Structures are given as structure tokens and as C-alpha cells.
């Protein structure tokens, strides 16, 4: 299994019962998971906001941002309406990780 996936699963486990969030990036041809802080003020158990400084650090350090990674610790392994809207707004793929089963699903931005 790719290292970025193992890192994302580990981060999701450590963040429970809150949602984890991170960035999937490519640096020198290698996919990396960038662990970010969830700074959601309302219901961080059911939502996430990536710490802006974490995003800036990643963006300044890698060749390309590939996607946003997060977890749903309540066991709901499907993308919420907010996830889909954010994916489309940011125009970047979203990945959802489930650490217990080591499963990952993703969605791509849709043209509107």
C-alpha cells in the first residue's frame, strides 16, 4: 500500500472522534499526505476546515496539490452534500478515508 494512504489512515485514527483533514500532494514525482489541522469551529466531528497556514506550507513546499483528504469518524463512508459542493468549488478531487477497513473513495470536480 502506498505510504500516503497509510499516513492518511494513521492521521484519521489519531483525530477520532473529530474529522481528520489533509492534502494529497505530489513532490518530485512522489505522492505525499500532508497532515493538516481541522480548525472547524462548529461540529468538527462532522465537518472540517483546513488550517490556512497548513495549506500555505504545503503549497509552498510541493510541486502540485492533487486533492483534499478527510475522514468521517461517525462511520458514514460516503461524501456529504458539503463535500461535493466543496470539491466542485475548489476544483480539486476529494478523498474520503476509512481507517478501520483501510478503504479510500474519491470524487472528481464536476463541471456545472
Amino acid at each position: 500500500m502506498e505510504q500516503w494512504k497509510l499516513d492518511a489512515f494513521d492521521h484519521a485514527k489519531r483525530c477520532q472522534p473529530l474529522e481528520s483533514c489533509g492534502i494529497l500532494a505530489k513532490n518530485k514525482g512522489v505522492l505525499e499526505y500532508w497532515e493538516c489541522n481541522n480548525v472547524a469551529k462548529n461540529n468538527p466531528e462532522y465537518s472540517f476546515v483546513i488550517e490556512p497556514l497548513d495549506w500555505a506550507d504545503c503549497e509552498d513546499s510541493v510541486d502540485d496539490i492533487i486533492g483534499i483528504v478527510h475522514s468521517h469518524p461517525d462511520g458514514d463512508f460516503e461524501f456529504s452534500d458539503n463535500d461535493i459542493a466543496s470539491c466542485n468549488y475548489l476544483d480539486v478531487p476529494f478523498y474520503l478515508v476509512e481507517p478501520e477497513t483501510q478503504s479510500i473513495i474519491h470524487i472528481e470536480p464536476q463541471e456545472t
Side-chain angles (χ1 to χ4, degrees):
M1 182 175 296
E2 294 172 273
Q3 186 62 48
W4 79 265
K5 293 177 182 179
L6 296 172
D7 294 342
F9 293 141
D10 178 63
H11 185 219
K13 282 182 185 178
R14 286 185 283 114
C15 287
Q16 290 177 349
L18 307 180
E19 284 197 12
S20 66
C21 58
I23 300 170
L24 179 60
K26 187 178 274 189
N27 196 30
K28 297 182 175 97
V30 176
L31 290 178
E32 300 176 350
Y33 175 73
W34 280 71
E35 189 175 304
C36 297
N37 291 308
N38 180 354
V39 295
K41 300 256 189 262
N42 297 321
N43 301 317
E45 306 87 2
Y46 303 104
S47 63
F48 74 94
V49 174
I50 292 176
E51 163 62 56
L53 293 175
D54 292 344
W55 182 281
D57 286 345
C58 178
E59 196 170 44
D60 289 346
S61 301
V62 301
D63 298 330
D64 197 18
I65 291 178
I66 304 298
I68 304 299
V69 183
H70 74 289
S71 66
H72 286 175
D74 63 0
D76 188 15
F77 194 53
E78 62 183 59
F79 290 98
S80 69
D81 291 341
N82 284 342
D83 292 337
I84 294 166
S86 296
C87 174
N88 291 332
Y89 179 77
L90 294 172
D91 197 30
V92 64
F94 266 47
Y95 295 80
L96 184 60
V97 298
E98 206 308 302
E100 300 308 317
T101 61
Q102 293 197 336
S103 300
I104 298 177
I105 56 175
H106 86 280
I107 54 173
E108 297 287 333
Q110 300 297 309
E111 292 183 23
T112 55

